[in-house]
């Protein structure tokens, strides 16, 4: 370790990425820092002393058995919490972000890099140079390394610290927040949707931008990555501590069957996701009440030795264990994502990656528009079916068709384990349709819609001379964001500043989504042909933002066409958020007759176990999925799961209230999906509801709806608005808030006069009625913010739910009562109610018991809901 003398410096960079701003003065005390990153050999000694498992092999073809064979190279694939344990074992700690940047600057005031302002070259740092194959590599320089380099291979900075730029990113102690964040709620990260730690320094696949001393990278805290290592520090005034030894021995529950509660999932299929399965764990999963085990059966795992060199030995062994425990198998059949492709295919001429409109760079994910690839999908599915379909083994088949992980969405930022097999590839939030196959498909689709180019120009406001000149919409990329390597990069944007631009963008997004739906349909049909007697689920995910290319109603409709279902992988532990993320699939699945199930995105808290069980039951799901650590991570988790398993059963929810999903407003940029979600989460506390959308409305869903609520967005399709007007005239009850006007996105025609009393209040339309509440509800950082719209009376804005209750939801309750539509729940109190044919299901997410009155056929039902629990209230006979 070397002594870094304390002092002050200006932290950050005002002319770079947003998270590096603003520059601010920081003072640090003197401290000691490791002059090099922790090596494989050093970490091996820690593993052997504490019983910690060796890190996973990074899978670099030129560096086999990396951890054991390269002792002087920096260790990779170490999660943040494991790095902290190592530091504690060594009598040290991880550096704070302030310490790391101060040390990296080496006493140079205002320098860009640890050595000064000169750009990096092959003599200063290990970064993406001509030894690598990344599209962003710097051809002019060579460090001599394709992946990591031995620690200390390049000159140190003025403090004597090596590799403060390049080689590997390095963990810091801090949670990632922007410097100007005023609310830093780390408790919220336990939900499963947040929690990134700061990494610094850049790595072997970084561009020069990442090597700057002010550069901050956010990395999910719970996983190790092949691009991240670490070094340690200790305070200057503390003596070197001795290793803590056995105190860090991993505490793992051993799944002793005698300690496990017995469970039964009744008529609900219950699936446990595992990587590789041992006999003890299989028996534990069975005892807990799970019916099946899901595993990632990628094309790469069965044909990586070369074309037609099939090897099923891995799955034969796993199948034997699954069957011996009395479980069923759910193979997740994946071909398309980069990590699922065999080496020989990725290196062949038949591979063609998706290309992004933002940068024109190719992804490692196979394009969905190349029809030739479908023959490979067919080979893969039929090979699995020939091997396993005839056995009394499979509960369901889950299909993973594209994207970074396997969901039916286009690539998003991965920042995760998907690079372990193929290596880093170009991925970010974006529009992936720049490859030649996509362009050809786009032009064919547009020519079907617009017979002549003159007709197209009239609709789009363009001046294309011929169809040969027609292009996809031009995207704007934030110049301050630019292109980031292996980190979240925003999708390009398109401004819909009028009817023609909005029509052009909608035509593009409609085609983009329809392409994904068609590709899903091919997979569903082929899988159904291969597995005629099994349940088949399409895996989907995300939150239906335009760049994901997913329309959940379309996916449910085409799944039902082939007698299949949809599993959406979105949930964490917040019930209201889980409901919003899964409700479009649940609503559309029930309407079209596609069975559906839910899967978590990753972590689930103890209370999240209860809330996920409630969401599955209350929406009528047929399957619920957990990952093994969600339940088997501790005996406490298993006990909570077992105690609440009685609430997991099949239901038929009663949902006379529907919400118009604000898809078009999200697509054209009137609102964001986050804004819509926050408003709809609050609405879910008030009442249960289903989502309806353009497709289901076109197909007649409003015939079963008593009340429709529009709670965000102003522009919708003419066809949808005309259907709503007709429905109201026939006796429907419409409630509108959170918007000031309603117009047709494709014509610009204003529908407000037909649907709204602009001054607020009730209107009669034919045999129906509308209620317009001229108040906008939004929220930032979890704090509600109520704003009166223009024309509304000025109010003293109250940021509590009490204001929502009085100003928005009490008028809705009164309006619906006048229309003969009682609201079962009606209160904003974090207690949620769902009506089924025979009972009411109540979820109390509060930390204390709550007494509630429910409304049943005009009568009150009293219920006491214990803290953080589910309660079933049978309907009176």
């Amino acid at each position: 370790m070397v002594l870094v003398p304390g002092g002050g410096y200006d932290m950050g960079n005002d002319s770079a990425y947003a998270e590096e701003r603003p520059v601010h003065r920081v003072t640090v005390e003197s401290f000691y820092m490791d002059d090099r990153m922790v090596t494989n050999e050093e970490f091996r000694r820690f593993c052997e002393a504490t019983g910690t498992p060796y890190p996973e092999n990074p899978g670099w073809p030129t560096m086999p058995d990396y951890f054991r064979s390269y002792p002087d190279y920096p260790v990779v694939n170490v999660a943040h919490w494991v790095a902290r344990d190592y530091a504690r074992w060594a009598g040290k700690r991880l550096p704070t972000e302030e310490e790391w940047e101060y040390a990296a600057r080496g006493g140079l005031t205002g320098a860009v890099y640890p050595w000064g302002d000169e750009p990096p070259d092959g003599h200063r740092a290990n970064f993406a140079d001509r030894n690598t194959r990344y599209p962003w590599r710097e051809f002019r320089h060579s460090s001599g390394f394709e992946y990591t380099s031995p620690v200390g291979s390049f000159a140190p900075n003025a403090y004597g610290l090596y590799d403060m730029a390049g080689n590997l990113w390095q963990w810091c102690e801090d949670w990632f927040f922007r410097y100007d964040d005023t609310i830093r709620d780390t408790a919220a990260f336990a939900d499963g949707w947040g929690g990134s730690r700061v990494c610094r320094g850049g790595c072997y696949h970084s561009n020069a931008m990442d090597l700057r001393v002010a550069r901050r990278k956010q990395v999910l805290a719970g996983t190790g990555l092949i691009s991240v290592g670490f070094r340690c520090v200790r305070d200057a005034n503390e003596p070197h501590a001795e290793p803590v030894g056995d105190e860090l021995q991993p505490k793992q529950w051993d799944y002793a069957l005698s300690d496990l509660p017995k469970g039964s999932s009744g008529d609900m299929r219950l699936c446990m996701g595992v990587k590789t399965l041992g006999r003890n764990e299989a028996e534990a999963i069975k005892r807990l009440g799970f019916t099946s085990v899901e595993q990632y059966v990628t094309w790469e795992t069965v044909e990586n030795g070369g074309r037609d060199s099939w090897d099923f030995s891995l799955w034969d062994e796993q199948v034997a264990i699954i069957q011996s425990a009395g479980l069923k198998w759910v193979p997740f059949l994946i071909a398309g994502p980069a990590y699922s492709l065999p080496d020989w295919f990725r290196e062949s001429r038949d591979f063609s990656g998706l290309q992004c409109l933002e940068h024109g760079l190719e992804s490692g994910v196979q394009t969905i528009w190349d029809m030739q690839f479908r023959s490979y999908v067919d080979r893969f599915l039929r090979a699995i079916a020939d091997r396993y379909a005839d056995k009394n083994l499979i509960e369901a088949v889950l299909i993973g068709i594209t994207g970074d992980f396997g969901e039916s969405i286009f690539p998003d930022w991965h920042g995760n384990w998907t690079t372990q097999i193929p290596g880093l590839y170009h991925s970010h939030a974006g529009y992936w349709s720049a490859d030649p196959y996509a362009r050809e498909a786009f032009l064919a689709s547009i020519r079907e819609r617009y017979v002549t180019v003159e007709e197209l120009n009239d609709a789009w406001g363009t001046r294309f001379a011929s169809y040969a000149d027609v292009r996809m919409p031009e995207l704007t990329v934030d110049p301050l964001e630019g292109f980031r390597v292996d980190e979240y990069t925003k999708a390009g944007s398109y401004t819909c500043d009028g009817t023609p631009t909005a029509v052009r963008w909608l035509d593009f997004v409609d085609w983009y989504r329809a392409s994904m739906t068609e590709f899903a349909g091919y997979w569903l049909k082929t899988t159904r042909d291969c597995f005629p007697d099994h349940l088949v689920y399409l895996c989907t995910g995300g939150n239906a933002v335009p760049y994901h290319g997913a329309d959940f109603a379309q996916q449910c409709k085409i799944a039902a066409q082939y007698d299949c279902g949809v599993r959406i992988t979105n949930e964490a532990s917040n019930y209201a958020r889980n409901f919003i993320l899964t409700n479009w699939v649940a609503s559309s699945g029930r309407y079209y007759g596609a069975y559906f199930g839910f899967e978590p995105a990753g972590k689930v808290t103890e209370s999240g176990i209860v809330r996920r069980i409630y969401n599955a039951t209350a929406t009528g799901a047929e399957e619920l999925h957990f990952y093994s650590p969600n339940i088997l991570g501790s005996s406490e988790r298993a006990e909570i799961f077992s105690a609440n398993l009685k609430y997991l059963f099949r239901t038929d929810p009663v949902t006379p209230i529907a919400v118009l999903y604000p898809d078009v407003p999200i697509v054209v940029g009137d609102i964001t999906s986050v804004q819509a979600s926050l408003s709809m989460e609050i609405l879910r506390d008030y009442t249960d509801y289903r989502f309806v959308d353009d497709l289901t409305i076109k197909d007649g869903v409003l015939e079963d709806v008593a009340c429709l609520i529009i709670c965000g967005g102003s522009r919708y399709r003419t066809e949808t608005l005309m259907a709503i007007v007709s429905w109201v005239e026939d006796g429907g009850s419409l409630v509108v808030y959170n918007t000031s006007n309603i117009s047709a996105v494709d014509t610009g025609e204003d529908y407000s006069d037909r649907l709204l009393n602009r001054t607020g209040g009730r209107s009669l339309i034919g045999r129906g009625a509308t209620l317009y509440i001229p108040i906008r509800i939004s929220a930032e950082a979890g704090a509600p913010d109520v704003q009166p719209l223009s024309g509304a009376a000025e109010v003293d804005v109250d940021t509590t739910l009490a204001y929502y209750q009085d100003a928005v939801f009490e008028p809705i309750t009164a309006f619906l009562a006048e229309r003969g539509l009682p609201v079962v729940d009606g209160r904003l109190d974090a207690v949620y109610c769902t009506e089924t044919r025979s009972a009411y299901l109540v979820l109390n997410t509060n930390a204390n018991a709550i007494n509630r009155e429910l409304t049943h056929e005009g009568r009150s039902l009293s219920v006491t809901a214990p803290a953080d629990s589910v309660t079933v209230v049978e309907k009176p006979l």
Side-chain angles (χ1 to χ4, degrees):
M1 304 188 84
V2 298
L3 178 65
V4 178
Y9 73 106
D10 292 327
M11 185 177 187
N13 187 335
D14 282 335
S15 60
Y17 295 140
E19 67 270 16
E20 298 173 30
R21 305 191 296 266
V23 170
H24 53 289
R25 192 70 179 172
V26 171
T27 300
V28 298
E29 299 294 329
S30 298
F31 61 95
Y32 285 97
M33 176 176 264
D34 290 346
D35 67 345
R36 295 167 172 82
M37 283 185 281
V38 174
T39 65
N40 286 324
E41 173 61 24
E42 290 168 331
F43 197 80
R44 182 190 61 80
R45 292 197 294 268
F46 160 72
C47 292
E48 293 175 355
T50 63
T52 301
Y54 286 172
E56 190 171 351
N57 180 42
W60 296 325
T62 57
M63 303 180 76
D65 197 16
Y66 176 79
F67 181 70
R68 295 178 178 85
S69 300
Y70 295 86
D72 296 329
Y73 284 64
V75 68
V76 300
N77 279 332
V78 176
H80 187 271
W81 67 272
V82 181
R84 294 178 76 187
D85 276 355
Y86 172 92
R88 186 175 170 217
W89 171 81
K92 307 175 186 180
R93 59 178 173 82
L94 294 181
T96 66
E97 188 179 8
E98 290 84 359
E99 288 172 334
W100 196 99
E101 183 173 331
Y102 178 78
R105 291 180 178 275
L108 298 178
T109 302
V112 178
Y113 303 101
W115 54 81
D117 294 335
E118 300 82 9
D121 58 36
H123 301 290
R124 288 192 171 101
N126 178 10
F127 68 113
D129 58 22
R130 65 172 175 262
N131 297 286
T132 68
R133 295 187 292 176
Y134 309 115
W136 54 88
R137 61 189 178 275
E138 175 54 72
F139 286 96
R140 296 175 300 168
H141 303 301
S142 174
S143 64
F145 301 99
E146 182 178 5
Y147 300 108
T148 57
S149 51
V151 296
S153 295
F154 300 88
N157 72 358
Y159 286 150
L161 301 170
Y162 296 87
D163 291 328
M164 297 303 280
N167 209 3
L168 286 178
W169 290 96
Q170 300 169 43
W171 286 119
C172 292
E173 175 61 27
D174 308 73
W175 290 104
F176 183 92
F177 294 98
R178 288 178 54 144
Y179 290 145
D180 54 2
D181 282 342
T182 57
I183 298 177
R184 301 193 172 201
D185 181 13
T186 57
F189 297 155
D191 174 58
W193 275 111
S196 294
R197 297 280 185 171
V198 175
C199 280
R200 292 297 200 114
C203 71
Y204 60 87
H205 60 58
S206 289
N207 57 15
M209 193 76 171
D210 286 349
L211 271 58
R212 298 173 299 108
V213 291
R215 176 73 165 95
R216 312 174 68 215
K217 177 182 172 71
Q218 54 180 320
V219 177
L220 294 175
T223 185
L225 295 178
I226 58 176
S227 58
V228 178
F230 69 101
R231 72 179 74 216
C232 304
V233 301
R234 65 179 175 88
D235 295 339
N237 58 359
E238 290 186 1
H240 180 68
E242 293 299 320
V244 296
D246 292 340
E247 190 177 341
L248 284 176
Q249 188 76 18
K251 306 298 189 297
Q252 294 185 348
W253 184 33
D254 62 4
Y255 315 126
L257 293 182
S258 59
D259 295 337
L260 281 170
K262 282 188 176 182
S264 173
S265 58
D267 57 357
M268 179 82 76
R269 289 187 293 276
L270 194 54
C271 182
M272 178 75 85
V274 300
K275 187 174 181 181
T276 54
L277 187 66
R279 294 187 182 278
N280 194 37
E281 187 177 12
E283 293 176 5
I285 291 169
K286 175 66 175 178
R287 182 180 176 94
L288 282 168
F290 283 81
T291 59
S292 61
V293 169
E294 178 208 303
Q295 294 178 303
Y296 282 45
V297 182
T298 66
W299 182 16
E300 185 268 346
T301 63
V302 294
E303 201 187 9
N304 205 42
R307 180 165 182 157
D308 297 325
S309 296
W310 298 97
D311 181 1
F312 299 97
S313 57
L314 169 63
W315 302 117
D316 287 346
E317 294 172 1
Q318 290 292 287
V319 161
I321 293 173
I322 291 168
Q323 289 185 307
S324 68
L327 290 163
K328 297 288 187 179
W329 195 34
V330 178
F332 187 11
L333 304 182
I334 312 171
Y339 75 95
S340 71
L341 302 175
D343 293 339
W344 63 265
F345 178 78
R346 283 190 282 108
E347 295 166 1
S348 74
R349 292 183 178 181
D350 287 347
F351 170 75
S352 181
L354 290 163
Q355 294 182 28
C356 68
L357 285 178
E358 286 82 356
H359 312 107
L361 295 178
E362 186 179 59
S363 170
V365 179
Q366 168 69 35
T367 177
I368 71 171
W369 287 281
D370 179 6
M371 294 297 134
Q372 179 179 332
F373 179 66
R374 300 188 180 195
S375 65
Y376 287 105
V377 173
D378 185 87
R379 289 176 66 256
F380 168 59
L381 292 176
R382 294 190 186 282
I384 298 296
D386 290 345
R387 187 78 175 184
Y388 300 111
D390 291 338
K391 298 180 179 180
N392 184 25
L393 166 68
I394 294 177
E395 178 180 82
V397 174
L398 181 67
I399 53 175
I401 71 175
T402 189
D404 286 309
F405 297 96
E407 297 98 332
S408 304
I409 61 176
F410 288 97
D412 203 335
W413 166 60
H414 51 88
N416 211 305
W417 53 265
T418 57
T419 59
Q420 291 287 93
I421 292 172
L424 187 69
Y425 57 91
H426 184 56
S427 183
H428 56 82
Y431 293 91
W432 295 90
S433 55
D435 67 83
Y437 301 103
R439 292 197 298 270
E440 181 180 347
F442 174 72
L443 287 177
S445 173
I446 295 303
R447 293 195 74 154
E448 284 186 11
R449 183 174 181 84
Y450 300 104
V451 178
T452 67
V453 74
E454 290 77 17
E455 184 181 353
L456 178 146
N457 284 330
D458 184 59
W460 288 4
T462 51
R463 296 181 178 180
F464 296 119
S466 68
Y467 264 109
D469 299 323
V470 173
R471 298 289 182 268
M472 297 178 192
E474 298 80 16
L475 301 180
T476 299
V477 178
D478 186 342
L480 288 179
E481 288 294 315
F483 162 61
R484 301 194 185 204
V485 176
D486 195 24
E487 189 179 21
Y488 179 77
T489 302
K490 293 179 182 178
S493 61
Y494 183 80
T495 302
C496 300
D497 54 5
T499 297
T501 55
V503 170
R504 184 183 183 189
W505 184 242
L506 268 179
D507 284 347
F508 168 74
V509 174
D510 285 349
W511 163 79
Y512 194 59
R513 288 172 161 176
S515 297
M516 182 62 71
T517 302
E518 188 276 334
F519 190 56
Y522 160 75
W523 267 82
L524 288 162
K525 181 181 184 304
T526 306
T527 309
R528 173 53 68 216
D529 291 343
C530 294
F531 297 89
D533 302 320
H534 293 90
L535 297 168
V536 176
Y537 283 91
L538 174 72
C539 179
T540 196
N543 57 346
V545 289
Y547 57 82
H548 280 169
D551 182 305
F552 294 152
Q554 290 180 18
Q555 292 182 353
C556 286
K557 185 175 181 178
I558 201 165
Q561 179 180 335
Y562 296 107
D563 190 27
C564 297
V566 175
R567 186 201 286 169
I568 183 165
T569 170
N570 264 350
E571 291 187 307
S573 303
N574 180 301
Y575 166 68
R577 189 156 306 141
N578 287 351
F579 174 83
I580 302 306
L581 290 169
T582 59
N583 191 34
W584 197 1
V585 166
S587 301
S588 301
R590 292 199 305 268
Y591 182 66
Y592 289 117
Y595 42 88
F596 58 91
F598 304 149
E599 178 179 327
K603 290 192 303 181
V604 176
T605 63
E606 284 80 359
S607 60
I609 295 171
V610 181
R611 295 164 189 181
R612 293 198 63 235
I613 287 173
Y614 180 85
N615 193 37
T617 300
T619 53
E622 297 193 14
E623 180 206 54
L624 184 62
H625 172 283
F626 285 93
Y627 287 106
S628 179
N630 301 152
I631 306 300
L632 293 175
S634 68
S635 57
E636 291 78 14
R637 287 174 171 271
E639 290 166 1
I640 291 171
F641 170 79
S642 180
N644 287 275
L645 194 54
K646 60 186 176 185
Y647 300 117
L648 188 65
F649 49 86
R650 296 280 303 283
T651 62
D652 187 7
V654 178
T655 51
I657 295 177
V659 170
L660 179 59
Y661 189 81
D663 181 49
V664 169
I666 292 171
V667 171
V668 298
D670 291 347
I671 58 175
T672 67
S673 60
V674 173
Q675 289 171 323
S677 175
L678 291 168
S679 174
M680 293 184 297
E681 286 177 32
I682 295 169
L683 178 60
R684 178 59 188 95
D685 194 0
Y686 169 74
T687 186
D688 193 10
Y689 58 84
R690 61 177 128 165
F691 281 139
V692 298
D693 62 279
D694 294 316
L695 182 61
T696 54
I697 288 176
K698 180 180 179 180
D699 289 341
V701 72
L702 290 180
E703 295 176 6
D704 292 331
V705 171
C707 171
L708 177 65
I709 297 176
I710 300 176
C711 59
S714 58
R715 290 185 283 182
Y716 291 90
R717 300 178 196 264
T718 295
E719 188 177 20
T720 297
L721 294 176
M722 291 178 64
I724 293 172
V725 170
S726 177
W727 169 79
V728 174
E729 291 174 342
D730 287 343
S733 301
L734 175 68
V735 174
V736 180
Y737 66 93
N738 228 30
T739 187
S740 56
N741 62 79
I742 296 177
S743 63
V745 67
D746 40 357
T747 66
E749 184 178 358
D750 195 329
Y751 276 71
S752 301
D753 290 338
R754 291 193 234 178
L755 292 174
L756 308 178
N757 178 347
R758 286 185 180 274
T759 61
R762 296 164 175 78
S763 300
L764 297 177
I765 302 176
R767 293 187 292 111
T770 66
L771 172 66
Y772 175 48
I773 303 172
I775 292 177
R776 175 174 289 124
I777 300 176
S778 61
E780 294 180 3
D785 175 26
V786 184
Q787 304 167 0
L789 298 177
S790 58
E794 292 295 324
V795 296
D796 182 15
V797 175
D798 185 351
T799 61
T800 66
L801 292 179
Y803 180 88
Y804 293 158
Q805 184 74 52
D806 294 339
V808 179
F809 296 110
E810 291 300 336
I812 295 176
T813 300
F815 170 72
L816 294 180
E818 292 174 4
R819 304 286 296 166
L821 299 170
V823 178
V824 173
D825 185 350
R827 304 301 304 173
L828 300 183
D829 54 5
V831 176
Y832 302 88
C833 182
T834 294
E835 181 181 3
T836 70
R837 299 296 176 189
S838 60
Y840 296 100
L841 309 178
V842 179
L843 172 68
N844 179 14
T845 64
N846 294 283
N848 54 284
I850 289 186
N851 297 317
R852 286 295 313 277
E853 297 291 325
L854 305 180
T855 301
H856 172 71
E857 297 180 351
R859 293 185 296 163
S860 292
L861 295 178
S862 297
V863 56
T864 299
D868 206 8
S869 71
V870 179
T871 302
V872 178
V873 181
E874 300 292 339
K875 288 182 176 179
L877 297 177

